[in-house]
Amino acid sequence: MPQQRKPNDLSRSLIALDMATTLIAVVELSLSSWLVAGIVPGVERQPLKKLKTDENALLALLNRWRDEAVRSGHKISRIAVAFEAGRDGFWLARWLGARGIEAHVIHASSVAVSREHRRAKTDRLDTELLKRAFVGWLRGERDHCKMASIPSLREEDAKRPSRERESLVGEQSRLVNRMKATLIRLGIRGFNPKLRHAEQRVATLRTPEGEPIPPSTLAELKRDMQRRRFICDQIRSIEQERLERLERTPDTKPHAMVRLLARVTGIGIETADLLVHELLLRNMRDRRAVARYGGLTGSPDRRGMIQLAWRFLLFQKNSALAQWYRRRTEHAPKARKTMIVALARKLLIALWRLVREGVVPEGVAMRPA
């Protein structure tokens, strides 16, 4: 007889949802106001209230609805609140959780919407859609929507250096491309604005007509070079601070994971830090959960995983994963871009097993400890 998987505490609480003792609310967040829709036991109407952006006003509203349910003869033992992941992040969920309110954050892309025709879209309709999805999820019907894991403030802060560095690198690339485009517009090619003495040399450049760079354009180029130099200093500062943190506390769980991943040939400190704080520290149930998260288009580390997969093929040619990719694409070159996503997910699972179980992927070359 096959062994049945034992449900965890969360699944038990979802299946055992008691609508008579549970107050349910969804919040549509915006910069100027919050729209709160509720299902209150004992109250026939389903209330809808517009609030100012104030967490205390939201808590007062939930308490008022609870009192209405009690007056109608229903003892509320559970208050469940949900809202979509967005600009507000997770602070409201942490704030509510600290006050005994069960808070959930919904992945916006996981809520199914009709695509048969152009649909009306208002905050009122959005709250109704979220409410139906949330109630279904609470009943244990997981296909209604997906919930985001709520990180602590410390966990969120640990992600900031990698995200800031990625933003700065993108800004640096845009500046360099803009400077090159400016020079090409004047007919000047082959000049690298990333050179150490580029700011001094740019004044000596000449157009094909033998003319110097016009003064306004030259001033713009110099400002862009100064801005790029400032960005480079910020990037170096972030990288140096990360190395110092690793040296100060090398044996903490996150830093031990980073050091282990950095031993894999082709993975540097920056990529290792990104993977650890964006994914590998999450409480994933099994390898299927890791693969599902790796398939989320909006996950911050998805692009990094794709880039790592291409780099993995270059540095780990003898690994089983690289050989699997080559077999799949040897006679189908058009499938390379599709299969690189599959390779990235397989690689993600392999790295998760490496840091969790110490299992080195087959054929992967490791640097000395």
Side-chain angles (χ1 to χ4, degrees):
M1 182 176 179
Q3 185 179 3
Q4 295 182 350
R5 183 164 58 179
K6 183 179 179 181
N8 55 29
D9 293 337
L10 178 59
S11 63
R12 287 198 194 97
S13 65
L14 296 176
I15 296 171
L17 172 65
D18 185 357
M19 295 294 292
T21 62
T22 304
L23 192 158
I24 298 172
V26 296
V27 188
E28 183 73 20
L29 304 176
S30 68
L31 289 176
S32 58
S33 62
W34 293 348
L35 188 63
V36 189
I39 300 177
V40 183
V43 178
E44 185 176 352
R45 65 180 176 84
Q46 294 192 356
L48 186 69
K49 181 69 174 177
K50 188 174 184 179
L51 301 175
K52 59 181 180 180
T53 56
D54 182 4
E55 61 276 12
N56 291 301
L58 174 61
L59 184 60
L61 177 64
L62 295 174
N63 290 330
R64 194 183 79 194
W65 285 350
R66 180 182 59 190
D67 294 340
E68 290 182 19
V70 171
R71 286 196 296 269
S72 66
H74 291 264
K75 183 179 179 180
I76 300 300
S77 60
R78 180 184 187 189
I79 301 179
V81 179
F83 55 90
E84 281 186 319
R87 183 180 297 175
D88 283 84
F90 299 98
W91 74 267
L92 182 58
R94 289 192 295 264
W95 190 87
L96 291 171
R99 285 151 183 82
I101 307 296
E102 180 183 328
H104 301 277
V105 181
I106 302 174
H107 280 295
S109 59
S110 70
V111 180
V113 296
S114 174
R115 301 186 183 276
E116 295 178 358
H117 54 81
R118 189 172 182 177
R119 65 185 183 94
K121 181 172 173 60
T122 65
D123 287 346
R124 183 183 296 268
L125 294 176
D126 285 346
T127 55
E128 289 298 319
L129 182 64
L130 286 179
K131 188 164 59 177
R132 288 195 297 270
F134 185 40
V135 170
W137 185 85
L138 286 173
R139 285 174 175 159
E141 303 167 13
R142 297 302 185 90
D143 292 336
H144 281 274
C145 60
K146 304 295 182 185
M147 296 297 175
S149 176
I150 300 174
S152 66
L153 187 61
R154 183 176 181 180
E155 290 171 339
E156 275 202 298
D157 187 64
K159 299 175 184 178
R160 297 315 307 168
S162 292
R163 295 187 181 185
E164 183 188 6
R165 184 185 180 279
E166 182 181 8
S167 176
L168 290 172
V169 169
E171 187 175 352
Q172 177 184 230
S173 299
R174 288 190 294 272
L175 279 173
V176 171
N177 291 336
R178 190 170 73 183
M179 287 186 282
K180 288 182 177 180
T182 299
L183 291 171
I184 289 174
R185 193 165 56 246
L186 297 175
I188 301 173
R189 299 175 181 272
F191 180 76
N192 186 358
K194 295 186 292 184
L195 294 176
R196 179 177 300 180
H197 301 293
E199 190 173 347
Q200 290 76 27
R201 290 184 55 197
V202 70
T204 65
L205 297 177
R206 294 292 182 269
T207 67
E209 296 90 350
E211 297 291 330
I213 297 177
S216 297
T217 304
L218 181 61
E220 177 188 351
L221 287 170
K222 288 186 175 181
R223 283 191 294 269
D224 284 344
M225 290 178 181
Q226 292 170 0
R227 191 177 298 120
R228 179 189 167 274
R229 187 168 64 249
F230 176 70
I231 291 173
C232 289
D233 291 340
Q234 289 185 318
I235 293 174
R236 282 193 292 269
S237 175
I238 293 171
E239 294 171 345
Q240 183 60 34
E241 288 175 4
R242 177 186 292 113
L243 292 176
E244 291 174 358
R245 286 194 300 271
L246 287 172
E247 292 176 358
R248 282 197 304 267
T249 55
D251 297 326
T252 59
K253 184 178 179 180
H255 292 169
M257 286 183 173
V258 171
R259 290 168 57 235
L260 178 58
L261 285 180
R263 288 182 55 200
V264 178
T265 303
I267 298 182
I269 292 292
E270 172 59 34
T271 302
D273 187 77
L274 171 70
L275 290 174
V276 168
H277 289 105
E278 294 288 355
L279 172 67
L280 299 178
L281 280 176
R282 292 175 179 266
N283 187 21
M284 296 292 186
R285 183 177 64 252
D286 53 27
R287 56 186 296 168
R288 290 188 178 90
V290 177
R292 281 195 296 271
Y293 181 82
L296 291 176
T297 304
S299 57
D301 54 329
R302 180 178 172 86
R303 184 174 64 178
M305 281 304 305
I306 299 298
Q307 294 172 346
L308 175 59
W310 287 116
R311 194 161 66 246
F312 187 83
L313 292 175
L314 180 64
F315 287 95
Q316 299 284 355
K317 296 180 180 179
N318 297 324
S319 65
L321 287 174
Q323 293 173 5
W324 171 86
Y325 176 83
R326 285 197 295 269
R327 287 195 303 270
R328 291 297 187 96
T329 59
E330 184 178 5
H331 302 293
K334 292 184 179 181
R336 289 176 181 171
K337 290 185 178 179
T338 302
M339 293 306 299
I340 200 66
V341 178
L343 175 63
R345 295 176 74 173
K346 284 180 172 291
L347 178 58
L348 186 60
I349 295 171
L351 296 178
W352 177 76
R353 293 192 64 197
L354 173 63
V355 298
R356 292 283 179 175
E357 305 169 11
V359 179
V360 178
E362 182 182 352
V364 167
M366 302 284 289
R367 301 185 184 97

